[in-house]
Amino acid sequence: RPGLALCAGCGGRIQDPFLLRVSPDLEWHVACLKCAECGQPLDETCTCFLRDGKAYCKRDYSRLFGIKCAQCRAAFSSSDLVMRARDHVYHLECFRCAACGRQLLPGDQFCLRERDLLCRADH
């Protein structure tokens, strides 16, 4: 349907022989599909993520919208093992008692006081 579609990036009519369709209702000129944060071109060689009609590369989408460690505030990679306490998620190495610094392991009893993890001995 070249000539009928409007580009979600620039708003212009797509007259090109090719267009990029990212979702059922969003289409771009090939040159206009770029990460809204860093400007990296998003083509068939990389993963594209959408949020509120804007396209993002994987790195920026994860940094801006991904779940972050409650301790260090860094994003998680797909290979990270995590620990959870209520609504908080932690890297394994960040899951430590706030008082003594001991790493808490699966099966350890602990307390979550506001944002601080406390081992049983320090609770």
Side-chain angles (χ1 to χ4, degrees), residues 6-17:
L6 294 179
C7 177
C10 72
R13 191 163 301 286
I14 301 175
Q15 305 271 349
D16 307 351

Side-chain angles (χ1 to χ4, degrees), residues 11-94:
R13 191 163 301 286
I14 301 175
Q15 305 271 349
D16 307 351
F18 300 101
L19 58 81
L20 295 175
R21 181 175 294 132
V22 178
S23 69
D25 57 340
L26 294 176
E27 299 167 329
W28 276 265
H29 292 107
V30 173
C32 290
L33 185 57
K34 297 178 181 175
C35 176
E37 189 69 14
C38 72
Q40 171 189 344
L42 302 172
D43 55 22
E44 69 278 353
T45 65
C46 61
T47 305
C48 176
F49 294 85
L50 286 179
R51 176 107 177 209
D52 300 327
K54 294 181 181 178
Y56 296 91
C57 66
K58 182 177 182 176
R59 185 186 79 246
D60 285 329
Y61 186 87
S62 176
R63 181 178 57 81
L64 294 169
F65 307 112
I67 296 172
K68 297 183 178 54
C69 176
Q71 180 62 34
C72 72
R73 304 303 303 154
F76 296 101
S77 73
S78 60
S79 62
D80 285 339
L81 297 175
V82 300
M83 296 290 282
R84 295 180 183 272
R86 292 195 191 122
D87 295 335
H88 304 290
V89 184
Y90 300 83
H91 293 106
L92 285 182
E93 60 274 8
C94 295

